[in-house]
Amino acid sequence: MDKFEKIFDMSFEKAMVFVARPIVILIICKIVVTIVLKILNKIFEKSKLDKGIQGFFKQLIRISIYVIGIIMAAQSLGVNTSSLVTLLGVVSLAFSLSLQNILTNVFSGIMLLITKPFVTGDYIEVSGISGTVTGISLMRTRMRTADNKVELIPNSDVASQRISNYSGETRRRVDIEVSADYKAPTRLVISAIRGVIDKDERIAKEGAYAPTVRLFRFNENDITYTVKVWCENGVYWDVYFDLLENIREAYDDNGIEFSYPHRVVRIEK
């Protein structure tokens, strides 16, 4: 009350100056906010930062400048701001503790948007869920699974888990294993599989992406062959299933049989 009583004791000119100081400070804060946001908008236009993180930074800067302005305005009125700053610190701490999970998700979202381990449209696997990323917000990552379910995963879970990004490269390797009876010659089996690969134009044929067909393992009832081919990401599953179907037909055409579990019993007289 003493501060306000002094205002009445002042001359009109001094009183106007006393009251005008905090108003001028707040007006300057408004001008500073406008200038800073214009500068940030120009910077963000040239950057590739997500719209969500841009809005978060702008809102954070706006609030910070106004808080500083309010404290300076209070100081100009002669208010002891040390207790105000302490109060703001306590309130901020209590607020951050009560919203700990939310803030963790927000900062995890910021890290995902900055580091970009994946982008919208990528097919990824995280937290045991596979699907196409349809959106990345500050709180959650939105995914659409192969059976058209929408999964909303907290960003803190995404950031702390191992992420497999199947769209990170333009090409992807198709790995399959097929078996054949022991009676089938190895060269015949490999030749039949390579014939299927050679007819598929979607499969890369040269250089580091050349196909691999090798005998892989001897089993109790059959032999396993490994097949590794490269194709574009968009046709991965088509190539995968077509290989399996066409290899079976090639087996039939070449008289190669799949083996079934069996036992050989010898009877001695």
Side-chain angles (χ1 to χ4, degrees):
M1 290 295 294
D2 293 339
K3 297 295 180 182
F4 291 102
E5 289 175 357
K6 288 181 179 179
I7 296 175
F8 294 104
D9 294 336
M10 294 178 184
S11 64
F12 179 76
E13 290 81 6
K14 291 183 178 180
M16 288 298 295
V17 171
F18 184 80
V19 174
R21 284 177 187 169
I23 297 175
V24 171
I25 291 173
L26 293 177
I27 291 173
I28 292 174
C29 285
K30 174 65 176 176
I31 295 171
V32 171
V33 167
T34 302
I35 294 172
V36 171
L37 291 181
K38 284 183 178 180
I39 295 172
L40 283 177
N41 286 332
K42 290 182 179 180
I43 295 173
F44 288 149
E45 285 176 1
K46 298 179 181 179
S47 71
K48 296 181 179 179
L49 281 178
D50 184 83
K51 296 295 183 182
I53 194 171
Q54 292 182 20
F56 176 79
F57 276 128
K58 287 190 285 188
Q59 191 68 13
L60 182 63
I61 290 172
R62 181 186 289 110
I63 293 173
S64 300
I65 293 174
Y66 277 127
V67 168
I68 294 172
I70 291 171
I71 293 174
M72 292 175 64
Q75 285 180 335
S76 69
L77 291 173
V79 177
N80 185 4
T81 57
S82 58
S83 58
L84 179 61
V85 172
T86 303
L87 179 62
L88 286 174
V90 173
V91 171
S92 299
L93 178 62
F95 185 74
S96 61
L97 289 175
S98 63
L99 300 177
Q100 185 174 5
N101 291 334
I102 295 175
L103 293 175
T104 301
N105 285 323
V106 169
F107 286 113
S108 297
I110 292 172
M111 292 305 300
L112 291 174
L113 292 168
I114 292 175
T115 58
K116 292 186 180 296
F118 53 83
V119 296
T120 301
D122 284 353
Y123 188 88
I124 68 170
E125 180 179 353
V126 63
S127 297
I129 300 171
S130 300
T132 302
V133 178
T134 58
I136 309 169
S137 67
L138 290 176
M139 289 292 296
R140 295 180 179 85
T141 297
R142 182 185 178 96
M143 293 171 57
R144 185 181 66 250
T145 62
D147 56 350
N148 213 31
K149 290 190 300 186
V150 175
E151 297 282 354
L152 298 173
I153 308 175
N155 286 333
S156 58
D157 291 347
V158 177
S160 62
Q161 296 289 323
R162 175 180 175 179
I163 301 171
S164 298
N165 188 346
Y166 297 106
S167 302
E169 301 292 338
T170 57
R171 287 184 177 178
R172 186 176 170 193
R173 193 177 73 185
V174 179
D175 295 350
I176 63 173
E177 293 180 4
V178 293
S179 62
D181 192 274
Y182 271 98
K183 297 178 182 179
T186 298
R187 289 185 179 179
L188 179 62
V189 175
I190 292 177
S191 176
I193 296 173
R194 282 198 170 273
V196 172
I197 294 172
D198 292 339
K199 292 178 182 178
D200 196 328
E201 297 181 354
R202 299 167 299 180
I203 296 175
K205 304 295 194 304
E206 300 177 354
Y209 299 107
T212 299
V213 182
R214 301 298 298 270
L215 190 154
F216 183 63
R217 184 173 57 245
F218 294 103
N219 305 310
E220 184 178 357
N221 299 303
D222 56 23
I223 298 175
T224 298
Y225 295 83
T226 182
V227 182
K228 302 179 186 294
V229 299
W230 292 86
C231 66
E232 297 295 325
N233 251 319
V235 296
Y236 175 86
W237 288 111
D238 291 334
V239 171
Y240 181 92
F241 291 119
D242 287 347
L243 271 178
L244 293 177
E245 295 171 3
N246 294 332
I247 286 174
R248 179 172 183 178
E249 292 182 2
Y251 271 29
D252 292 340
D253 294 341
N254 289 273
I256 302 171
E257 295 182 356
F258 291 97
S259 181
Y260 302 95
H262 61 275
R263 291 185 180 276
V264 177
V265 179
R266 294 182 179 179
I267 301 177
E268 297 183 359
K269 295 183 180 180

